[in-house]
Amino acid sequence: MNGSMASACATSSRLVPAPSACPPSKKTAAARFWRRRTVSCRATGGGGSGRGDNDGLLWLPRRDVMLSGLSGVAAGLAWYPGLASGADSSSSPCTTADKVNEKILQCTDTSNQKPCPLVSPTAPVDFTPEGKVTRVRQPVHLLSREYQDKYKEAVGKMKALPESNPLSFKAQAAIHQAYCDSYYKYHKSSGSAVAKDDPAFDVHFSWIFAPWHRMYIYFYERALGQLIGDDTFALPFWSWDSPAGMVVPALFKGSFVNPLYDPNRNTKNLDALVDLDYLSHMKADPIDFKGPKDEKYKELVNKNLCTIYNQQVRKGPESFLGEKYCTAIEGNSGGSLERMAHTAMHVWVGKPETTPCDAAAGGVLSHKDGKFNCRNDMGFLGSAGNDPLFYSHHSNVDRMWHLWSTRLGGGQGITDTDWLDASFVFYDDVKSPRKVRIKFRDVLDTRNLGYTYDAEADRDLPWLRPKITTLVPHGKDSGAPARSSAAAPVFPLALTKGQVVEVPAVAVPAREAGKEQLLVIDGIEFDPQANNKFDVAINLPADKALQVGPQYKEYAGSFAVVPGSGGGETVKGKVSLCITDVLYDLDAEDDSTVDVVIVPRTDAKVTLNVRPTIKNRK
């Protein structure tokens, strides 16, 4: 079957010697000292550029000895060679991914032409890689005044284009709406009309997410440069992963005079320090602090860095990028790149929920259900592209993928040909728009697209060294609390905010070399129009569970989505969390069972239909 994934690792500019062998399975004092200072992050590609041909395992300093400060050199990297991996057909009832291309995906409601792509009689041309890197994306908060003015000028001119131009701002925003608000159908039968029961297609919630958004903002970036006659113009990124960038950039504020301004934002959050774990406590006010030495400030900055660490460092290809797109199952799974900071910042910026929600309240209509959504713009998938901040936000999401592929050694990541050959069509050239067919394999290296990210800005990544601690002691000799004696819950199980669910004694299969251990929660039924989030912890007493978050070692991950359309219907999803290093952190790597704790964070109705399981996956 397609779907092989190779495991490899990268070097960095600062290498430390690797031990002569992997740490032994039995914990001698020396083995415990070493192993609890390393973390495995399965990856593909090898080499600092992501292009090497070494296979191995990426090792980073363990979380329990990360520096508590926010400055200093980045963590050194070392790697073990020789741990190869392939696809695991047992990870999903869908043994092969569905093919995705412009012939299979059909946009409905074409009579109105919007937001479906404008109809053109010409056939698309195949993408040609750019010959050299001409554009360097920089963090928004470090832009010169001249560059800020260029950005405003470019977006202003894009907004001034007639809507009939497929590279106008309205048309660009409509692309995201069409692919995220059920305009597209997955239609396999060539020569026949789109059927009502053809499944809706969305670029979220699977391995489609990262490469599609890279394509999307690539052509957006090119159009901006063309409009101001500057082929070196690069789309700046909102660096919410760095303390200096953890606020909505001032460049996007002001009034309608500023083309980067959008009135549909949460005014309460605009000048506040961002919370990358925002969905866990949305109703709380932003923190009030006196300055960078304030303990509240330090705590939130560290928590944000812990969020990015958990998102980036602990992930193999499918855990990071998402699992295969498959229409045979209800409930695909997005990766940590989509679920974590990306989702939080969408909701952080978008307007808070309004009741009742209607046109008078400033809501936007959903195509799928004809109902209003008032979380616009950024807080609703169907309207997110209307906010210019969306594109700089996704420039940083793209940067996170770039760093995972290069600095963290992820390389290509997925080698399944159904993923590599997935293709979409976008418009290029503002003056004479033409359709371009581009494949995922074309966008794996940003150099093929003529851009890269500011190396100086990325020289020091503070999220490689957050302070992550434990809520309770762990290990047989540490005075750890007794394991849960709670009765096993009965599934299906409806979650309620504030009510912790303990699932005791979940079986842990013996770990196999070269495989990551995944905690899988399948059959998650939820309302796609609502803010949905629950956290997952390991071996944590119920009376401590509400405190858990990415700054604690017991934290295994989260399920979270950006609200979309739904029409009152529920959909099913899935989350797969890599817990290999979590088990090591908690001295539970040799345990045959662990307690899984689920912590509902939002008021939305979420039902778990299946008991969590743990499996090994290559």
Side-chain angles (χ1 to χ4, degrees):
M1 77 176 257
N2 290 329
S4 64
M5 294 186 184
S7 178
C9 74
T11 60
S12 79
S13 58
R14 301 179 182 87
L15 286 176
V16 295
S20 59
C22 291
S25 58
K26 292 185 178 180
K27 287 187 176 179
T28 62
R32 179 180 289 113
F33 178 84
W34 168 257
R35 187 60 184 90
R36 287 182 55 75
R37 284 155 177 76
T38 54
V39 55
S40 62
C41 175
R42 294 174 2 82
T44 297
S49 66
R51 290 187 166 193
D53 48 18
N54 294 312
D55 287 340
L57 190 64
L58 174 67
W59 296 88
L60 289 173
R62 266 273 25 95
R63 297 184 292 166
D64 52 351
V65 293
M66 292 292 182
L67 300 177
S68 60
L70 298 178
S71 61
V73 297
L77 307 180
W79 53 277
Y80 291 106
L83 293 179
S85 70
D88 181 4
S89 61
S90 66
S91 65
S92 168
C94 182
T95 56
T96 58
D98 284 321
K99 297 182 183 300
V100 174
N101 58 53
E102 73 279 6
K103 296 179 180 179
I104 293 174
L105 301 179
Q106 298 294 316
C107 194
T108 58
D109 194 30
T110 53
S111 59
N112 293 329
Q113 292 194 336
K114 282 231 169 61
C116 294
L118 298 169
V119 176
S120 170
T122 60
V125 299
D126 288 327
F127 170 78
T128 300
E130 299 197 24
K132 60 181 179 179
V133 173
T134 58
R135 304 183 302 281
V136 179
R137 293 182 180 175
Q138 305 172 60
V140 172
H141 72 277
L142 293 181
L143 294 179
S144 67
R145 178 58 62 87
E146 178 185 6
Y147 214 100
Q148 293 179 38
D149 291 341
K150 278 187 178 183
Y151 195 7
K152 290 179 180 180
E153 178 189 1
V155 174
K157 288 185 173 181
M158 180 177 277
K159 287 186 173 183
L161 289 174
E163 291 186 31
S164 58
N165 188 318
L167 288 156
S168 68
F169 190 82
K170 285 284 188 183
Q172 290 295 294
I175 293 173
H176 196 265
Q177 180 183 2
Y179 279 106
C180 308
D181 195 16
S182 301
Y183 280 84
Y184 275 92
K185 295 282 190 176
Y186 191 88
H187 184 66
K188 286 185 177 180
S189 303
S190 60
S192 63
V194 175
K196 185 178 181 180
D197 58 353
D198 283 339
F201 176 81
D202 197 307
V203 294
H204 299 84
F205 321 124
S206 74
W207 64 11
I208 302 291
F209 171 77
W212 184 90
H213 282 83
R214 174 170 284 181
M215 296 171 170
Y216 177 36
I217 66 171
Y218 163 72
F219 287 103
Y220 176 85
E221 175 183 70
R222 281 178 56 83
L224 293 179
Q226 291 162 6
L227 284 164
I228 58 174
D230 184 354
D231 60 5
T232 68
F233 178 82
L235 182 64
F237 60 89
W238 174 21
S239 55
W240 31 251
D241 63 300
S242 171
M246 290 179 182
V247 67
V248 173
L251 183 61
F252 292 86
K253 301 173 186 177
S255 67
F256 287 102
V257 177
N258 180 4
L260 301 178
Y261 170 77
D262 181 14
N264 295 318
R265 294 175 183 157
N266 189 337
T267 56
K268 184 177 70 173
N269 292 340
L270 287 185
D271 297 318
L273 186 68
V274 303
D275 183 351
L276 298 182
D277 191 38
Y278 181 53
L279 273 76
S280 289
H281 32 76
M282 291 177 55
K283 294 184 179 180
D285 290 331
I287 68 163
D288 183 19
F289 59 90
K290 298 178 181 179
K293 294 184 179 181
D294 191 311
E295 288 303 315
K296 292 181 180 179
Y297 171 87
K298 293 179 181 179
E299 288 174 8
L300 182 51
V301 167
N302 181 65
K303 184 180 180 183
N304 286 340
L305 298 178
C306 292
T307 298
I308 301 299
Y309 178 89
N310 277 277
Q311 170 185 296
Q312 297 287 124
V313 175
R314 304 170 61 188
K315 303 297 176 283
E318 287 185 336
S319 297
F320 181 71
L321 294 171
E323 298 193 5
K324 63 187 64 167
Y325 174 75
C326 181
T327 57
I329 59 174
E330 184 182 10
N332 292 287
S333 177
S336 61
L337 178 64
E338 178 182 357
R339 290 194 314 267
M340 299 188 73
H342 158 259
T343 292
M345 289 301 89
H346 265 281
V347 180
W348 176 265
V349 175
K351 292 191 306 185
E353 186 174 2
T354 302
T355 305
C357 179
D358 51 26
V364 293
L365 275 174
S366 167
H367 167 70
K368 181 174 182 179
D369 51 45
K371 294 185 178 181
F372 284 94
N373 192 301
C374 286
R375 297 184 183 90
N376 53 312
D377 281 327
M378 280 274 282
F380 172 55
L381 290 175
S383 60
N386 293 327
D387 190 339
L389 182 56
F390 166 88
Y391 303 93
S392 283
H393 167 52
H394 266 276
S395 184
N396 202 40
V397 175
D398 183 76
R399 172 174 160 265
M400 293 293 102
W401 180 19
H402 173 72
L403 289 171
W404 180 86
S405 299
T406 57
R407 183 81 169 264
L408 299 182
Q412 176 174 311
I414 299 171
T415 58
D416 188 319
T417 55
D418 287 327
W419 186 73
L420 293 170
D421 291 330
S423 65
F424 291 85
V425 171
F426 293 88
Y427 277 93
D428 189 25
D429 193 344
V430 170
K431 292 183 178 179
S432 302
R434 63 191 180 103
K435 294 189 292 186
V436 178
R437 180 190 300 108
I438 186 168
K439 296 182 178 181
F440 285 3
R441 66 170 69 249
D442 295 325
V443 305
L444 301 182
D445 189 330
T446 65
R447 291 174 294 184
N448 287 340
L449 302 173
Y451 76 88
T452 189
Y453 287 91
D454 186 356
E456 181 61 27
D458 288 343
R459 183 177 59 83
D460 178 35
L461 300 174
W463 43 263
L464 284 177
R465 53 183 191 283
K467 181 180 180 181
I468 302 182
T469 59
T470 57
L471 279 165
V472 297
H474 295 274
K476 298 179 178 62
D477 303 322
S478 64
R483 294 280 294 275
S484 174
S485 59
V490 177
F491 294 87
L493 175 68
L495 301 184
T496 302
K497 181 181 178 181
Q499 295 184 14
V500 174
V501 175
E502 295 181 88
V503 186
V506 176
V508 180
R511 190 182 180 197
E512 300 175 40
K515 293 185 178 182
E516 59 184 358
Q517 292 166 295
L518 293 182
L519 171 59
V520 179
I521 304 179
D522 212 335
I524 304 170
E525 193 169 353
F526 64 98
D527 176 2
Q529 286 188 301
N531 287 304
N532 297 274
K533 186 173 191 281
F534 62 80
D535 291 333
V536 182
I538 300 290
N539 288 353
L540 186 62
D543 62 349
K544 298 287 187 180
L546 291 177
Q547 301 176 46
V548 80
Q551 71 273 41
Y552 295 110
K553 296 179 188 177
E554 293 89 351
Y555 174 80
S558 302
F559 172 82
V561 295
V562 180
S565 58
E569 301 175 358
T570 59
V571 298
K572 287 185 179 177
K574 171 185 176 183
V575 64
S576 299
L577 306 172
C578 179
I579 61 169
T580 306
D581 65 315
V582 179
L583 298 180
Y584 274 103
D585 274 350
L586 306 182
D587 284 328
E589 70 271 30
D590 296 323
D591 292 358
S592 59
T593 66
V594 295
D595 297 335
V596 175
V597 182
I598 297 168
V599 187
R601 296 299 193 184
T602 56
D603 295 318
K605 181 180 179 181
V606 178
T607 300
L608 303 184
N609 288 287
V610 182
R611 175 183 169 90
T613 59
I614 297 174
K615 62 178 67 175
N616 292 320
R617 181 177 69 184
K618 291 183 179 180

